[in-house]
Amino acid sequence: MTENTQQSNHSAPELPTQYTPADVEGPLYERWVERGYFEADEKSDKPPYTIVIPPPNVTGSLHLGHAFEHTLIDALTRRKRMQGYETLWQPGMDHAGIATQNVVERELAKEGVSRHDLGREAFVERVWQWKGESGGQISGQMRRLGDGVAWSRERFTMDEGLSKSVQTIFKRLYDDELIYRAERIINWCPRCLTAISDIEVEYQDDEGELVSIRYGEGDTSIVVATTRAETMLGDTAVAVHPEDERYAHLVGTEIELPLTGRRIPVVADEHVDPEFGTGAVKVTPAHDPNDFEIGRRHDLPNLAVLDERGVITAHGPFQGLDRFEARSAIVGALRAEGRIVSEKRPYTHSVGHCSRCKTTIEPRLSMQWWVKVGPLAKVAGDAVRDGKVKIHPKEMESRYFGWVDNLHDWCISRQLWWGHRIPVWYGPNGEVVCVGPDDEAPTGEGWTQDTDVLDTWFSSGLWPFSTLGWPEQTPSVEKFYPNAVLVTGYDILFFWVARMMMFGLYAMDGTPPFHTIALHGMVRDQFGKKMSKSFGNAVNPLDWMDSYGSDAVRFTLARGANPGVDVPIGEDWVQGSRNFANKIWNATRFALMNGATVEGELPPAEQLSATDRWILSRLNSVVAEVDAYYDDYQFAKLSDTLFHFAWDEVFDWYVELSKTTFMAGGPAADASRRVLGEVLDVTLRLLHPIVPFVTETLWTTLTGGESVVIADWPKDSGFRDEAAEREIETVQQVVTEVRRFRSDQGLQPGQKVPAQLELSGTALAAHEAAMRSLLRLQPAGEDFSATASLPVAGARVALDLSGTIDVEAERKRLTKDLGAAEKEKAQATAKLGNEAFLAKAPEKVVDKIRGRLEAAEADIVRITAQLAALPQA
């Protein structure tokens, strides 16, 4: 070691005795941002690596699901940045049409004002005002978590550039006849007063009633069953199966619809299941999607009897009643006429609810705008089938195909004021003009723009390229499209991923928006239950960050992230991760106090001890393992690998084995200090993407480098020393066995015991001082008398336990334990030898008994050895 290095060790930097995340994290993050570490330069000649943030709603705040997903993305981008990629993690937020409009309408309601009082233009202006003042709090929370996003590129789905992208894609799809306007049955929310898509409907089992009603009289009557009696006012037919002989004489005739005075036809349609109920169904084309299709096939009229708020519009005594009030009133009226054949109450059945406000949705016939998804979905499916895009884990492909291969046309219009307004104008003489971003909108008397806005998922479907400046062929588009990977939850595979695939392939000349779709699961509580405020188990990740630090939250989330699998998490696990951060801190502090250094080259292998060679060999193996896990999106495995390597091998073994070397001094100590510095340097860099704050503080202190954010990612040098690994494994085996023996004998961890170590002829001789230190073994004096002898790994450890334990009491205890183990073995052996038992017992039960037998046999061997090691009387 050079004189300069020795001087450097003498004046080694010091760390505070304790790590306090709250003092470190905020200032560190702002320093990273100020230095521009997270920005991306399209002029760079580095290879690109792009990931978009799944844009959180502008109304939202950071929940545990966000923290989980952001941790994974941040880990990927931090690693790629360290590997020399021009890395772009694209941030931004979604305007969240319905959710945001609801928030602002609630604010207005407090003032006694509605959006209609303001008018459309003033209301939209008010929403922008709210967005500027209150929206987007999640940005600050992302900083708390440590998200390394390119803040200068932050986008919003309603900003000018993205609005141009939306208008451009709409115009192109319209011109290609992939967007059209038609009257169809849609999901309608009477609370939000807008259409919602199929995937925004949540189904749950509700208690209702199943009422069987007799239509017609005598031999011409038919009984139908319904859970929605109020819609009978809009019935325009009764349908039966063409081959159902019970009703063959009625097909083509008309029967009277009760309460209305109207007569409706009986039609034959193969959609009807003759085995279900009475085999006859009421047909309400304006209020049921299946009935709508029957109505189209039989040219039935569409009679709407509910308005946009779910209020009855049909003339008569029920007009003006809410749909649920009308249901009871109509059943009562039918009962009074003797037309109720049966009533089943309660009747549990699946009912659709608005995913945002939880109101029961109403199927409703409405004029809406649609995307013809068939051609787009086929291309999106083929891109995965052809290998252009990989879904990870692969078993999730079936879910993707199950969706894109069966897509219905997408209703994209919403009856809202907040959102991208549909760029279509209607003229006074029935003209329809779609206007692109560079077109002039029609002017003059009688011209009006469509009042609807686009589904939020329409604009977020453009996110991978609209954020880069498309439709202009910007340098950012050229550099950063397509994305390397999309990291998102399997729960929005249908909402968002399929939309991006369809739009990306369509708009970008067949180039998919990303090479890989890496799907993760949902965060759940420690018992595997879905987190929900209503369940009382929802967690605010900011509370955990306040208590344990952001690194602890991130490491806990990453350590649970197996691809496509839900992630259980509990506070005690976060506490464990906090302990890990403290362990890293304390071990590095110890290393610095003992002269660990990164200065100068590593000594050649022949000048290193077996302990040094072992840890360097293991270090390179870990680098290779972590790289492989990253490339396979195995965050849980890479985190676990790093945890056990850092805590177990580096801190609990290498540091402890090296203490005696440091104390002895000399060239061997200098070499070990350099090795320790190297191991800490690489380990901290490997850990950095997952736990960025504590590693930044420690790495810059250890190395004097500017920032670990821009440090080089470690590479596997190829160095392996299997002989050294076997040697240290033997040392570990001896230490572990003697520690177990000491514990079995009731010795305290710090209690010193005289011992002789017979290590001649083994590779253990060089480690005697370290082993004695780890095992609290004193040298054997002249009066040494071995009362216990342990043969381990070709060596023998003799101990003098006289005066430390009650030998007779210990022999009685062990003898009792041995008897219990032998009894357990005999019982298990007997059961496994019983053919009748084996023939009847479930495999799980048999496996459990086999496990008991193995455990009993291991206990017998262990206890017998302990008895043999006791001093003889």
Side-chain angles (χ1 to χ4, degrees):
M1 181 172 288
T2 65
E3 186 176 339
N4 287 337
T5 303
Q6 292 174 347
Q7 179 63 33
S8 172
N9 288 336
H10 180 72
S11 57
E14 293 186 3
L15 290 165
T17 55
Q18 289 186 325
Y19 175 54
T20 309
D23 295 341
V24 171
E25 293 176 350
L28 262 190
Y29 187 84
E30 291 310 313
R31 189 184 313 154
W32 291 334
V33 173
E34 288 168 7
R35 293 179 178 178
Y37 291 154
F38 306 139
E39 296 303 322
D41 182 5
E42 61 264 15
K43 297 177 183 177
S44 166
D45 58 2
K46 296 178 181 178
Y49 185 82
T50 313
I51 295 182
V52 293
I53 193 172
N57 287 352
V58 68
T59 58
S61 60
L62 191 76
H63 57 64
L64 208 54
H66 286 128
F68 172 57
E69 187 168 76
H70 291 198
T71 294
L72 306 187
I73 299 175
D74 197 41
L76 290 173
T77 52
R78 284 179 182 269
R79 172 178 175 251
K80 284 297 181 180
R81 190 177 293 112
M82 296 171 74
Q83 286 182 317
Y85 286 78
E86 192 61 37
T87 302
L88 169 60
W89 183 9
Q90 173 67 53
M93 286 181 290
D94 193 284
H95 65 279
I98 295 177
T100 304
Q101 180 157 319
N102 284 346
V103 167
V104 177
E105 287 197 79
R106 284 197 295 269
E107 293 295 315
L108 289 175
K110 295 176 184 177
E111 304 169 15
V113 179
S114 75
R115 63 181 166 112
H116 299 285
D117 295 327
L118 293 182
R120 183 169 193 144
E121 188 174 330
F123 175 76
V124 170
E125 185 177 329
R126 180 67 178 263
V127 179
W128 277 108
Q129 179 185 339
W130 174 87
K131 190 258 181 186
E133 294 173 357
S134 307
Q137 63 173 314
I138 201 168
S139 296
Q141 296 165 343
M142 287 166 60
R143 292 171 181 263
R144 282 287 311 276
L145 188 64
D147 288 2
V149 299
W151 287 112
S152 70
R153 292 172 173 264
E154 186 175 12
R155 304 304 298 269
F156 180 54
T157 50
M158 284 283 286
D159 68 28
E160 184 177 348
L162 271 68
S163 295
K164 183 176 181 180
S165 299
V166 169
Q167 200 171 350
T168 299
I169 199 83
F170 188 99
K171 170 70 170 171
R172 291 189 186 180
L173 289 164
Y174 181 87
D175 289 345
D176 287 344
E177 299 183 350
L178 292 171
I179 281 183
Y180 63 95
R181 192 169 185 243
E183 192 175 43
R184 300 276 180 82
I185 292 284
I186 47 89
N187 303 301
W188 181 265
C189 176
R191 159 63 185 81
C192 299
L193 297 180
T194 182
I196 59 176
S197 66
D198 291 345
I199 51 181
E200 293 169 296
V201 178
E202 293 179 349
Y203 288 90
Q204 65 183 47
D205 288 340
D206 287 357
E207 285 192 357
E209 59 182 353
L210 181 67
V211 182
S212 296
I213 309 167
R214 179 172 52 83
Y215 288 11
E217 302 293 341
D219 293 340
T220 64
S221 67
I222 294 182
V223 175
V224 299
T226 181
T227 59
R228 304 173 67 223
E230 69 278 8
T231 64
M232 69 158 289
L233 300 177
D235 286 0
T236 57
V238 170
V240 298
H241 193 273
E243 298 177 3
D244 193 333
E245 295 180 358
R246 293 172 296 175
Y247 304 113
H249 66 291
L250 293 177
V251 174
T253 67
E254 291 187 341
I255 59 174
E256 184 175 341
L257 178 66
L259 305 181
T260 67
R262 289 191 290 113
R263 295 187 68 79
I264 58 176
V266 177
V267 300
D269 195 279
E270 291 188 352
H271 170 76
V272 180
D273 180 1
E275 303 297 325
F276 182 77
T278 64
V281 297
K282 58 192 289 295
V283 182
T284 321
H287 294 283
D288 183 276
N290 293 321
D291 292 3
F292 177 75
E293 294 302 325
I294 293 176
R296 290 177 65 177
R297 287 193 288 272
H298 298 276
D299 198 25
L300 300 174
N302 300 315
L303 182 59
V305 295
L306 290 167
D307 71 7
E308 61 182 7
R309 297 182 184 277
V311 173
I312 298 292
T313 59
H315 291 295
F318 311 108
Q319 186 174 8
L321 292 180
D322 171 80
R323 53 185 169 156
F324 300 117
E325 295 172 336
R327 183 175 299 171
S328 298
I330 288 170
V331 170
L334 290 167
R335 189 184 298 114
E337 289 191 3
R339 291 193 172 275
I340 300 297
V341 176
S342 66
E343 296 178 68
K344 186 175 182 180
R345 188 184 296 112
Y347 178 73
T348 302
H349 60 129
S350 181
V351 178
H353 296 260
C354 174
S355 62
R356 290 176 176 83
C357 70
K358 311 308 176 186
T359 301
T360 301
I361 63 104
E362 193 66 44
R364 185 168 187 252
L365 186 64
S366 179
M367 183 67 77
Q368 301 285 345
W369 285 94
W370 304 80
V371 172
K372 187 186 295 183
V373 300
L376 302 172
K378 182 183 185 306
V379 176
D382 289 345
V384 174
R385 288 189 175 92
D386 298 344
K388 280 186 179 179
V389 178
K390 289 181 169 53
I391 292 181
H392 191 280
K394 189 173 178 60
E395 53 265 29
M396 286 284 179
E397 281 186 1
S398 59
R399 294 178 66 134
Y400 177 77
F401 292 136
W403 182 253
V404 297
D405 292 347
N406 297 285
L407 274 177
H408 300 296
D409 284 1
W410 172 20
C411 177
I412 56 171
S413 45
R414 298 291 181 267
Q415 290 64 56
L416 305 170
W417 286 357
W418 172 245
H420 295 101
R421 194 163 173 182
I422 288 176
V424 172
W425 271 254
Y426 306 108
N429 300 311
E431 301 95 334
V432 178
V433 176
C434 181
V435 176
D438 300 321
D439 300 334
E440 289 291 333
T443 58
E445 187 176 348
W447 282 94
T448 58
Q449 185 178 358
D450 196 299
T451 57
D452 289 351
V453 301
L454 287 163
D455 178 9
T456 298
W457 295 103
F458 190 94
S459 52
S460 58
L462 313 178
W463 192 246
F465 50 92
S466 63
T467 51
L468 300 174
W470 187 90
E472 309 302 328
Q473 190 60 23
T474 64
S476 288
V477 170
E478 292 180 5
K479 179 73 174 179
F480 295 115
Y481 187 89
N483 287 198
V485 60
L486 174 74
V487 179
T488 191
Y490 62 70
D491 57 317
I492 58 172
L493 183 62
F494 319 132
F495 285 88
W496 190 44
V497 179
R499 312 284 195 233
M500 287 189 290
M501 285 287 284
M502 290 190 297
F503 282 166
L505 288 158
Y506 172 79
M508 305 302 284
D509 299 321
T511 302
F514 18 75
H515 298 304
T516 301
I517 301 167
L519 297 170
H520 59 71
M522 310 296 292
V523 178
R524 297 182 178 271
D525 71 12
Q526 59 189 328
F527 305 109
K529 190 175 181 180
K530 180 180 177 181
M531 285 191 174
S532 167
K533 290 181 180 179
S534 61
F535 295 155
N537 63 349
V539 172
N540 183 346
L542 297 175
D543 293 340
W544 281 355
M545 290 184 214
D546 289 341
S547 299
Y548 308 111
S550 297
D551 284 332
V553 174
R554 290 170 62 115
F555 193 73
T556 305
L557 291 166
R559 205 172 176 195
N562 289 297
V565 178
D566 288 345
V567 183
I569 184 172
E571 187 169 3
D572 54 338
W573 303 341
V574 185
Q575 292 174 353
S577 296
R578 186 269 316 274
N579 296 342
F580 179 52
N582 288 341
K583 182 79 170 181
I584 301 169
W585 182 273
N586 292 332
T588 305
R589 184 170 178 271
F590 168 84
L592 289 170
M593 292 171 61
N594 283 274
T597 181
V598 297
E599 293 187 19
E601 296 293 323
L602 275 173
E606 58 269 18
Q607 295 180 17
L608 297 176
S609 68
T611 306
D612 291 335
R613 298 195 307 278
W614 160 72
I615 198 62
L616 290 174
S617 181
R618 288 292 304 126
L619 178 69
N620 280 284
S621 294
V622 167
V623 170
E625 289 173 32
V626 168
D627 275 335
Y629 286 141
Y630 262 117
D631 292 341
D632 199 34
Y633 305 101
Q634 298 279 359
F635 296 97
K637 290 182 178 178
L638 72 89
S639 299
D640 215 44
T641 295
L642 287 170
F643 174 86
H644 288 293
F645 176 69
W647 191 307
D648 300 342
E649 297 187 77
V650 178
F651 304 145
D652 279 358
W653 282 108
Y654 179 71
V655 169
E656 293 299 321
L657 287 170
S658 299
K659 282 182 178 179
T660 52
T661 305
F662 294 149
M663 292 174 63
D670 290 342
S672 291
R673 290 187 180 103
R674 178 63 187 89
V675 169
L676 179 54
E678 181 77 10
V679 171
L680 288 174
D681 170 20
V682 173
T683 302
L684 292 171
R685 282 186 280 152
L686 290 173
L687 282 165
H688 172 72
I690 306 290
V691 285
F693 294 107
V694 67
T695 52
E696 171 80 340
T697 305
L698 296 175
W699 187 85
T700 52
T701 304
L702 171 70
T703 68
E706 179 184 338
S707 172
V708 70
V709 176
I710 55 172
D712 290 338
W713 181 252
K715 293 181 180 178
D716 175 10
S717 70
F719 176 77
R720 300 289 191 278
D721 192 325
E722 294 182 3
E725 290 193 34
R726 287 194 299 271
E727 184 172 325
I728 300 304
E729 285 172 7
T730 304
V731 172
Q732 292 171 329
Q733 183 181 353
V734 173
V735 171
T736 300
E737 286 299 318
V738 175
R739 279 176 171 169
R740 183 181 294 121
F741 177 77
R742 286 176 56 107
S743 175
D744 288 340
Q745 303 306 318
L747 297 177
Q748 296 299 313
Q751 189 173 353
K752 294 183 178 181
V753 177
Q756 286 180 341
L757 275 63
E758 299 175 16
L759 308 176
S760 59
T762 72
L764 298 172
H767 305 282
E768 180 171 351
M771 292 164 65
R772 283 187 176 276
S773 176
L774 289 169
L775 292 168
R776 304 293 190 268
L777 301 180
Q778 294 176 322
E782 292 182 1
D783 57 347
F784 177 81
S785 175
T787 59
S789 181
L790 296 177
V792 185
R796 183 171 294 276
V797 180
L799 301 98
D800 181 0
L801 301 178
S802 58
T804 61
I805 62 170
D806 183 335
V807 176
E808 285 308 312
E810 186 63 17
R811 181 174 283 109
K812 286 181 181 179
R813 183 185 71 81
L814 289 173
T815 301
K816 182 179 178 181
D817 289 347
L818 181 61
E822 288 173 337
K823 182 179 179 181
E824 175 74 3
K825 177 184 176 182
Q827 290 175 342
T829 301
K831 284 189 175 182
L832 292 174
N834 185 334
E835 294 296 334
F837 169 78
L838 293 177
K840 295 179 180 179
E843 187 63 28
K844 286 185 178 180
V845 174
V846 176
D847 287 343
K848 186 175 181 181
I849 294 172
R850 289 195 184 105
R852 284 168 49 191
L853 176 60
E854 290 176 4
E857 289 174 338
D859 285 344
I860 290 169
V861 171
R862 175 178 57 82
I863 297 168
T864 301
Q866 291 173 18
L867 282 167
L870 286 175
Q872 299 301 312

